[in-house]
Amino acid sequence: METELKKLKASLDIKSAAAKSVKRSFAQQIQGAVINANKTKYLLRLDNGQCVVKRGVVNADISILEKHCKGKIPDNLELTSTYFDGIINNFNEKSSGKGYRNPIRKMLENSSVYPVTFPDNTDMRESKTPILLPCSSKDEQAQINMALHASMAQSPALLGAQTPW
């Protein structure tokens, strides 16, 4: 009975130490300031008026700030939070992929056994043409129907055929 009690106490000590370390983490200490610095970017307002935190966006930006601050919480967090957007935008501009080339890609392209050619994605990244994504299943079905009708109009062999829809 006494050894079981010691095991439980040790388990409790480990869990409380882990909880304290999480509360002291950079992400937990800076999260509120990041969200308050740009609420429109980090909060999603629901139809019922409640706001939900966009965790993926917040965590990605906190990671960028942690690298910039080298893991140290700024002394005046309220004042520093006004610069968070600039820091994040600067980081994103630097790491947007300009100048970076995957070394494995080069090795595959230069392979003497089976050279691989990759499509040039620069045109797609710089394209100003918007990509239309359906907002609902009804919109998706409408886009599918439009594409099917356009396809049928271009194919003379299918014009006389009965459509299943």
Side-chain angles (χ1 to χ4, degrees), residues 37-53:
N38 192 345
K39 291 182 181 181
T40 57
K41 180 178 180 181
Y42 300 116
L43 295 177
L44 176 66
R45 185 170 297 278
L46 301 177
D47 291 336
N48 62 6
Q50 292 180 332
C51 289
V52 177
V53 177

Side-chain angles (χ1 to χ4, degrees), residues 48-66:
N48 62 6
Q50 292 180 332
C51 289
V52 177
V53 177
K54 298 178 186 176
R55 290 278 170 212
V57 178
V58 171
N59 291 340
D61 287 353
I62 286 175
S63 175
I64 291 169
L65 292 170
E66 188 171 11

Side-chain angles (χ1 to χ4, degrees), residues 70-82:
K70 298 179 177 131
K72 296 180 181 175
I73 306 293
D75 291 333
N76 190 347
L77 193 56
E78 187 176 325
L79 176 65
T80 309
S81 66
T82 58

Side-chain angles (χ1 to χ4, degrees), residues 3-61:
T3 57
E4 190 177 321
L5 183 63
K6 286 181 182 179
K7 287 180 184 177
L8 287 173
K9 183 166 176 26
S11 175
L12 178 65
D13 291 341
I14 290 170
K15 289 178 183 177
S16 64
K20 286 179 185 176
S21 71
V22 167
K23 287 180 183 176
R24 287 191 310 256
S25 73
F26 182 89
Q28 286 296 320
Q29 290 184 21
I30 204 167
Q31 179 178 347
V34 169
I35 293 171
N36 287 331
N38 192 345
K39 291 182 181 181
T40 57
K41 180 178 180 181
Y42 300 116
L43 295 177
L44 176 66
R45 185 170 297 278
L46 301 177
D47 291 336
N48 62 6
Q50 292 180 332
C51 289
V52 177
V53 177
K54 298 178 186 176
R55 290 278 170 212
V57 178
V58 171
N59 291 340
D61 287 353

